Amino acid sequence: CCAWPQRRVGCPRAASRRKRCGRHWSMPGWKSPCASAANGPFSAASYVKKGNAVEIRFEPIGYVRNAYRDKRPPSWQGTTSRIEIDRRWAEALGGLEGFSHIVVLCYLDRSHGQDMPLFIQPQRNPLMPLVGFWGTRTPIRPNPIAMTVVPLADRQDNVLTVRNLDMYDGTPVLDIKAASPRFDEGHPND
C-alpha cells in the first residue's frame, strides 16, 4: 500500500487493495507506486490482526547465491556471495554502490523443525556454560531472522556481490540497507 499519510486519492488499483488492507494513501501530484502493474505491489510484507494475535508475512526480496549449499566453509571470512534481488526491486538499488558495507536481513529457512532448547552452550562448545538462547547467535530461534553487516564488493543490475556473508546458498533475503556507522555501531552513551 502507498504510505504517504496525506489525503485519500483514487489509485487505479486502490479498490482491490483497500479490501485487503483498509487504506491507500498518496500525495496529490505524486504517482502512486501501485499505479503501474509493471511495478508490482509496493510492499513485500503483510500484517494481519487476528484477535489479540498478529500474523506477519514476508516475501523474500532475493536469495543468496554461493558455493555453500549443504556444507559450511571452515570460515565465512574471505568467502564471496551474490545476493540476487528480484528484478522488480532492481531500480531501488540505485546509489547503494556508494556504500562500502550493507546490512543484510535473512530468513534462516534451515532452522525449521529443530528443537529449540531454552539454554544452550554458545558455539556448541562443551566448555562454555549454558546460557539462554537470547544471549547467543544460534539460528534456532522463535523467529529465525539473521542480521549481518558485510562489505559490498560490486553491484551489477539486480545482483550484489558481497564478502563474508555467513549464509548458505538459497537463503531468502528479507531486506538490505546501506550500513551507516552512525546507526549501526550504537551510541557511545548506550
Side-chain angles (χ1 to χ4, degrees):
C1 209
C2 299
W4 334 58
Q6 293 292 323
R7 64 186 180 111
R8 219 176 270 262
V9 297
C11 174
R13 293 175 54 197
S16 63
R17 293 177 65 81
R18 195 173 289 132
K19 287 180 187 174
R20 186 177 65 180
C21 67
R23 66 179 188 170
H24 189 88
W25 303 93
S26 65
M27 293 282 288
W30 289 6
K31 185 175 180 184
S32 163
C34 298
S36 169
N39 289 339
F42 185 67
S43 178
S46 66
Y47 172 94
V48 178
K49 189 163 184 165
K50 294 182 176 182
N52 291 334
V54 173
E55 180 180 291
I56 303 168
R57 294 182 184 170
F58 290 100
E59 176 185 321
I61 62 162
Y63 293 89
V64 173
R65 299 294 176 216
N66 59 33
Y68 309 104
R69 186 147 199 58
D70 298 314
K71 191 170 183 182
R72 179 184 172 145
S75 171
W76 291 103
Q77 295 298 312
T79 61
T80 299
S81 298
R82 293 181 335 277
I83 301 174
E84 295 178 354
I85 302 297
D86 187 310
R87 288 205 176 274
R88 69 181 163 159
W89 307 112
E91 192 174 337
L93 294 171
L96 194 62
E97 60 274 355
F99 291 85
S100 65
H101 290 72
I102 60 172
V103 179
V104 182
L105 287 105
C106 293
Y107 179 70
L108 302 174
D109 59 324
R110 296 170 187 231
S111 296
H112 279 292
Q114 297 184 32
D115 288 335
M116 188 177 63
L118 294 179
F119 292 90
I120 61 173
Q121 292 170 306
Q123 302 172 4
R124 298 180 188 156
N125 184 342
L127 301 176
M128 299 289 281
L130 285 172
V131 296
F133 70 84
W134 295 120
T136 71
R137 306 269 310 182
T138 182
I140 304 167
R141 317 180 79 73
N143 294 307
I145 297 172
M147 181 191 85
T148 187
V149 178
V150 294
L152 176 62
D154 190 32
R155 175 197 163 213
Q156 295 294 321
D157 192 29
N158 67 317
V159 179
L160 304 173
T161 302
V162 298
R163 293 189 307 273
N164 310 331
L165 180 63
D166 56 346
M167 300 294 152
Y168 290 99
D169 183 70
T171 299
V173 177
L174 298 176
D175 198 9
I176 55 171
K177 304 172 187 304
S180 170
R182 178 177 173 204
F183 299 110
D184 297 325
E185 292 181 10
H187 192 276
N189 295 328
D190 284 350

